[in-house]
């Protein structure tokens, strides 16, 4: 469908997190220490410099438990402030900072007036085996729940709702905790801008579809020449700036952060995957490497003494995974990058109508569950056994399944009656919903059962 000015404005409110607040990024502009390398400076900026309006104040976050459903609200009422903070982090899927576990969550920066401004680490900073890992996707993030709780919090205090709060209902931020409607936010944000990133008086009318995505691990970015699951745009630091295009930021402000994001990309490209911490059967893994190189390396690359990554786009009718991400992004949105400030040297060429998905690099694959671009497959074992993939599952808070390599999950035939609405429903992944299919990528069927076991062992070594 196409959508007009009012719908675009609602979408922009959603993309600025549907959490309200008026504190602008420009109100707090700290400077990193001069001794830092570009990569160190990039990470420092993500921890300390706000690039978006504040989503929620520190004070409101401390009180938001007052609108939680029972019995959680009663539990919070009798808890200490530290215990309430832990309950809030669990409810919203927020991740403690590795260097400051009692401080702000990853993905949020405090503004000068006490607000909390979101950035890319809210989705790209997660946990592995319960330990914070800034470079892995946040498979806990409950974006929609956080937005709707703030809506109720404002209503309870008679505060003005505005388009931001209305967005908590009007624009889906994520139908399953751990996945977000991120690429649709991008479409909405850029529909508000001209080629120089200045706000348009009348937004462009553009097709908008909703589909949830899983944030990929950042450590594989260094091996790519293009970004996103369809690989439609060449990798540049400017492309990753698109989520700073909230309505409160002028084009001049965004352009002024050009060098900041050179450093952010330098940090991303400096990242290494965490090594698998468990035991590895090296002899079995060696046999798995042989099988992998025969059946998988053509698309996913080689990882031995002479590694290579082909960045191969596999047609959708071949890979067979959920096509909603491929068909849901309008070609005119992709073309915008060629015509805009993002094309810094004039040589950025996009693939406006890609025919499939790019097979990703597999470094650190043990730590990057769930799998597929929509987060529909909870473990690596399930990737290798397509016939056994669960259709309805729910993960634990910090559990890790070393037998299957991935999320510790419980599977269900149906969602329990008490959990079929709202917040609770979003704690279940339902592969029957549009855009969430776990089907496809049946290539492991070419392996014998013994080879599947060996490849599974080999993947621990990457």
């Amino acid at each position: 469908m196409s959508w007009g000015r009012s719908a675009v404005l609602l979408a922009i409110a959603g993309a600025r997190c549907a959490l309200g607040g008026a504190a602008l990024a420009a109100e707090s502009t700290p400077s990193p220490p001069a001794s830092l390398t570009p990569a160190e400076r990039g990470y420092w900026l993500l921890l300390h410099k706000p690039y978006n309006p504040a989503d929620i104040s520190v004070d409101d976050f401390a009180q938001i438990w007052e609108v939680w459903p029972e019995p959680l609200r009663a539990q919070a009422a009798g808890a200490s402030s530290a215990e309430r903070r832990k309950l809030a982090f669990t409810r919203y899927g927020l991740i403690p900072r590795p260097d400051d576990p009692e401080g702000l969550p990853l993905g949020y920066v405090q503004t000068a007036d006490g607000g909390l401004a979101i950035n890319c680490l809210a989705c790209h900073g997660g946990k592995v085996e319960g330990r914070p890992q800034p470079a892995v996707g946040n498979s806990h993030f409950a974006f929609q729940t956080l937005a709707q709780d703030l809506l109720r919090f404002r209503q309870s205090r008679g505060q003005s709702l505005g388009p931001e709060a209305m967005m908590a209902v009007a624009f889906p931020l994520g139908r399953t905790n751990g996945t977000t409607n991120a690429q649709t936010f991008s479409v909405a944000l850029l529909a508000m801008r001209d080629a120089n990133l200045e706000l348009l008086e009348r937004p462009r009318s553009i097709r908008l579809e909703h589909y949830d995505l899983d944030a990929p691990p950042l450590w594989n970015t260094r091996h790519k020449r293009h970004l996103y699951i369809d690989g439609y745009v060449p990798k540049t630091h400017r492309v990753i700036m698109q989520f700073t295009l909230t309505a409160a930021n002028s084009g001049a402000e965004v352009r002024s952060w050009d060098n900041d994001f050179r450093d952010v990309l330098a940090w991303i490209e400096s990242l290494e995957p965490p090594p698998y911490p468990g035991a590895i059967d090296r002899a079995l893994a060696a046999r798995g490497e042989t099988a992998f190189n025969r059946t998988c390396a053509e698309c996913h690359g080689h990882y031995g003494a002479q590694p290579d990554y082909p960045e191969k786009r596999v047609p959708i009718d071949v890979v067979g995974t959920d096509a909603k991400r491929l068909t849901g992004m309008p070609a005119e949105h992709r073309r915008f990058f060629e015509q805009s400030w993002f094309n810094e040297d004039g040589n950025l060429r996009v693939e406006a109508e890609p025919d499939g998905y790019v097979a990703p690099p597999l470094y650190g694959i043990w730590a990057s569950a769930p799998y597929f671009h929509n987060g529909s497959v909870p473990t690596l074992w399930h990737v290798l056994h397509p016939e056994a993939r669960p259709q309805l599952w729910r993960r634990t808070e910090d559990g890790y399944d070393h037998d299957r390599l991935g999320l510790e999950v419980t599977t269900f035939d149906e969602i329990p009656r008490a959990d079929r609405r709202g917040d609770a429903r979003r704690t279940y992944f339902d592969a029957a919903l549009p855009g969430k299919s776990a089907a496809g990528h049946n290539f492991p069927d070419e392996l014998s059962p013994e080879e599947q076991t060996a490849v599974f062992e080999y993947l621990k070594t990457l």
Side-chain angles (χ1 to χ4, degrees):
M1 67 177 180
S2 63
W3 41 297
R5 180 177 177 83
S6 61
V8 170
L9 289 175
L10 283 176
I12 292 302
R16 58 182 286 197
C17 307
L19 300 176
L24 301 182
E27 292 179 356
S28 179
T29 54
S31 297
S35 60
L36 300 182
T37 66
E40 292 169 339
R41 191 163 56 242
Y43 185 51
W44 188 97
L45 289 167
L46 290 177
L47 293 182
H48 298 284
K49 185 172 180 177
Y51 293 97
N52 282 310
D55 307 317
I56 184 172
S57 73
V58 173
D59 290 341
D60 283 355
F61 184 77
Q63 299 296 320
I64 200 169
W65 63 270
E66 295 175 5
V67 298
W68 289 353
E70 294 290 5
L72 187 60
R73 182 166 68 245
Q75 183 182 354
S80 67
S81 58
E83 291 168 336
R84 285 178 191 156
R85 178 181 182 275
K86 186 175 181 180
L87 289 171
F89 272 49
T90 295
R91 178 166 173 79
Y92 302 129
L94 302 178
I95 309 301
R97 296 188 181 189
D99 58 339
D100 186 14
E102 302 304 319
L104 299 176
L106 272 175
Y108 283 87
V109 176
Q110 187 163 336
T111 61
D113 63 349
L116 293 176
I118 198 171
N119 66 28
C120 41
L121 289 182
C123 291
H124 288 280
K127 291 190 288 187
V128 179
E129 294 189 292
R131 293 186 293 273
Q133 170 56 259
V136 76
N138 184 358
S139 59
H140 292 279
F141 193 30
F143 206 0
Q144 186 79 36
T145 299
L146 178 56
Q148 290 183 342
D149 277 1
L150 183 65
L151 171 61
R152 288 190 287 266
F153 184 82
R154 288 182 169 178
Q155 289 174 326
S156 71
R157 281 158 173 72
Q159 297 175 359
S160 174
L161 299 183
E164 299 93 342
M166 291 194 308
M167 198 56 240
V169 175
F171 193 102
L173 305 180
R175 289 172 298 169
T176 302
N177 293 354
T179 60
T180 64
N181 198 9
Q183 286 295 303
T184 306
F185 303 161
S186 172
V187 173
L189 289 167
L190 275 96
M192 292 286 290
R193 302 280 172 163
D194 65 16
N196 205 34
L197 306 188
E198 298 297 346
L199 285 163
L200 295 169
E201 182 176 346
R202 295 182 62 83
R204 293 188 301 278
S205 179
I206 192 169
R207 177 169 57 90
L208 180 68
E209 295 186 27
H210 302 298
Y211 43 88
D212 293 347
L213 300 175
D214 175 57
L218 294 177
W219 57 67
N220 279 323
T221 305
R222 66 193 300 181
H223 304 288
K224 301 176 181 180
R225 299 181 301 278
H226 296 77
L227 295 177
Y228 307 119
I229 187 62
D230 55 7
Y232 80 93
V233 63
K235 177 179 63 179
T236 76
H237 71 282
R238 288 189 177 180
V239 169
I240 66 176
M241 297 177 67
Q242 60 187 288
F243 294 102
T244 67
L245 296 177
T246 57
N249 292 335
S250 70
E253 284 177 301
V254 174
R255 295 192 301 272
S256 74
W257 299 325
D258 196 29
N259 285 331
D260 286 6
F261 280 83
R262 292 183 193 275
D263 294 336
V264 170
L265 183 58
W267 171 69
I268 291 172
E269 298 205 303
S270 75
L271 296 168
E272 296 281 355
Y276 179 65
I280 299 175
D281 183 332
R282 295 290 173 177
L284 181 60
R287 295 196 294 275
E289 182 177 10
T290 299
F292 178 93
N293 287 340
R294 188 185 79 247
T295 60
C296 312
E298 179 183 353
C299 296
H300 289 288
H302 296 84
Y303 300 85
Q306 296 182 317
D308 69 83
Y309 171 58
E311 201 171 41
K312 182 176 180 178
R313 185 185 291 118
V314 184
I316 192 65
D317 59 349
V318 175
V319 67
T321 51
D322 196 291
K324 188 71 170 177
R325 165 63 179 79
L326 183 68
T327 60
M329 178 175 284
E332 56 267 37
H333 169 76
R334 294 187 177 101
R335 293 190 183 100
F336 180 87
F337 285 89
E338 279 191 11
Q339 306 160 3
S340 72
W341 178 84
F342 291 117
N343 193 348
E344 58 182 309
D345 57 9
N347 295 317
L348 187 151
R349 295 290 178 264
V350 305
E351 182 66 48
E353 299 183 66
D355 64 350
Y357 296 136
V358 175
L362 302 181
Y363 293 104
I365 189 171
W366 75 271
S368 59
Y371 301 101
F372 291 4
H373 69 279
N374 59 2
S376 60
V377 181
T379 76
L380 195 54
W381 185 89
H382 288 110
V383 173
L384 292 171
H385 296 82
E387 75 289 348
R389 293 172 193 160
Q391 293 297 295
L392 184 65
W393 50 270
R394 189 184 198 186
R395 67 166 303 171
T396 62
E397 172 70 16
D398 290 327
Y400 183 87
D401 187 340
H402 279 278
D403 292 331
R404 294 186 172 186
L405 293 190
L407 306 183
E408 182 181 70
V409 301
T410 301
T411 61
F412 299 82
D413 293 327
E414 61 180 9
I415 297 176
R417 183 178 299 275
D419 293 342
R420 291 179 185 176
R421 291 187 177 183
D423 311 342
R425 184 181 179 88
R426 287 190 292 273
T427 65
Y428 295 83
F429 193 102
D430 185 353
L433 294 174
K436 290 183 171 292
S437 172
H441 195 274
N442 293 325
F443 310 118
D445 290 344
E446 300 174 17
L447 301 167
S448 69
E450 293 77 17
E451 287 176 325
Q452 287 178 336
T453 299
V455 168
F456 179 79
E457 196 71 12
Y458 169 62
L459 292 174
K460 297 177 184 178
T461 72
L462 303 184

